[in-house]
Amino acid sequence: AQKITQTQPGMFVQEKEAVTLDCTYDTSDQSYGLFWYKQPSSGEMIFLIYQGSYDEQNATEGRYSLNFQKARKSANLVISASQLGDSAMYFCAMWYNNAGNMLTFGGGTRLMVKP
Amino acid sequence: NAGVTQTPKFQVLKTGQSMTLQCAQDMNHEYMSWYRQDPGMGLRLIHYSVGAGITDQGEVPNGYNVSRSTTEDFPLRLLSAAPSQTSVYFCASRRSLAGGLNEQFFGPGTRLTVL
């Protein structure tokens, strides 16, 4: 079965510093995609970044980058220059060629940015 | 574009009551899905649909029914509510590509409490 693991239930980071949120996945499929979503205290799910399994370059979106290590099956999110507004839950998710390509989510990491 | 809309935002039910959570999207997406999020956890797939008239079960389908009579609407029915169904419910939609970015757009969520 496909599985997404986020091993850090909670993390603190100092404002303006960089932080890495870990995500490992388990799949035997060759074609898959990895997402990161942010969920602030207001509850909505905000798309941050996407990495396809065949993408050779690591994805970047502004202050977000995805450190994709295919052989290790890891897809860590790096947030540079943390801001107070980055405090939220962060979820790693994967689609794979099953179940209508719907997403499987990890358990999440709560990030708290200290001023 | 309203995106993905969900009603109601909040609902309290008594054990044994039935109700329908509404979900609609105006992006002409073929794929729609329902997830539940329990406190401190990631999202789990309940049911999904790959087009009008086609539905299938996800990871946690028991106690829920769905139908998809139009592309726009994908209601979720609780047949006989139980306290274990207390959760936040998210509806999502996306285009029907087999792969690629394929971002899932989420509704704002429905917070359901079953007493």
Side-chain angles (χ1 to χ4, degrees):
Chain A
Q2 323 295 346
K3 190 176 178 181
I4 295 277
T5 303
Q6 294 179 252
T7 57
Q8 304 152 313
M11 288 188 69
F12 284 96
V13 65
Q14 198 68 39
E15 192 179 8
K16 299 182 185 175
E17 292 186 349
V19 62
T20 297
L21 307 184
D22 294 341
C23 173
T24 58
Y25 59 92
D26 183 17
T27 180
S28 55
D29 286 3
Q30 296 301 308
S31 179
Y32 53 89
L34 294 147
F35 293 80
W36 278 92
Y37 282 87
K38 173 183 178 181
Q39 187 178 43
S41 57
S42 52
E44 71 268 31
M45 297 292 288
I46 302 169
F47 167 75
L48 295 178
I49 197 166
Y50 171 84
Q51 179 86 40
S53 59
Y54 294 118
D55 294 340
E56 294 183 355
Q57 304 266 1
N58 283 345
T60 60
E61 291 285 350
R63 294 186 299 110
Y64 304 107
S65 60
L66 200 152
N67 184 2
F68 183 46
Q69 298 190 37
K70 196 169 182 177
R72 291 186 172 185
K73 295 187 177 179
S74 74
N76 298 339
L77 176 71
V78 180
I79 305 175
S80 62
S82 297
Q83 302 172 355
L84 296 178
D86 294 334
S87 294
M89 283 290 288
Y90 289 81
F91 291 99
C92 181
M94 180 174 71
W95 72 260
Y96 53 95
N97 197 22
N98 192 9
N101 290 336
M102 296 299 156
L103 297 184
T104 296
F105 283 81
T109 295
R110 181 170 296 283
L111 178 66
M112 291 151 282
V113 181
K114 297 187 291 185
Chain B
N1 258 356
V4 181
T5 58
Q6 292 182 236
T7 56
K9 285 189 166 58
F10 301 94
Q11 183 70 49
V12 178
L13 292 177
K14 294 181 179 177
T15 297
Q17 287 185 316
S18 63
M19 79 158 296
T20 299
L21 307 185
Q22 302 290 346
C23 174
Q25 52 89 12
D26 60 358
M27 297 173 282
N28 203 31
H29 286 171
E30 290 194 15
Y31 283 29
M32 296 185 74
S33 51
W34 278 101
Y35 294 85
R36 62 177 285 175
Q37 183 180 28
D38 298 322
M41 297 178 65
L43 280 66
R44 293 184 293 168
L45 181 65
I46 305 172
H47 284 287
Y48 65 97
S49 169
V50 299
I54 307 169
T55 63
D56 207 344
Q57 297 180 351
E59 181 186 357
V60 288
N62 292 341
Y64 307 95
N65 270 357
V66 292
S67 59
R68 185 99 178 269
S69 56
T70 67
T71 299
E72 294 78 19
D73 300 301
F74 190 44
L76 177 73
R77 296 183 190 84
L78 278 70
L79 308 172
S80 176
S84 61
Q85 294 179 303
T86 294
S87 191
V88 179
Y89 291 84
F90 287 96
C91 180
S93 77
R94 64 177 175 81
R95 294 175 296 162
S96 61
L97 296 180
L101 174 57
N102 219 349
E103 178 189 346
Q104 289 221 129
F105 295 84
F106 285 87
T110 294
R111 187 175 295 274
L112 176 69
T113 302
V114 182
L115 302 176

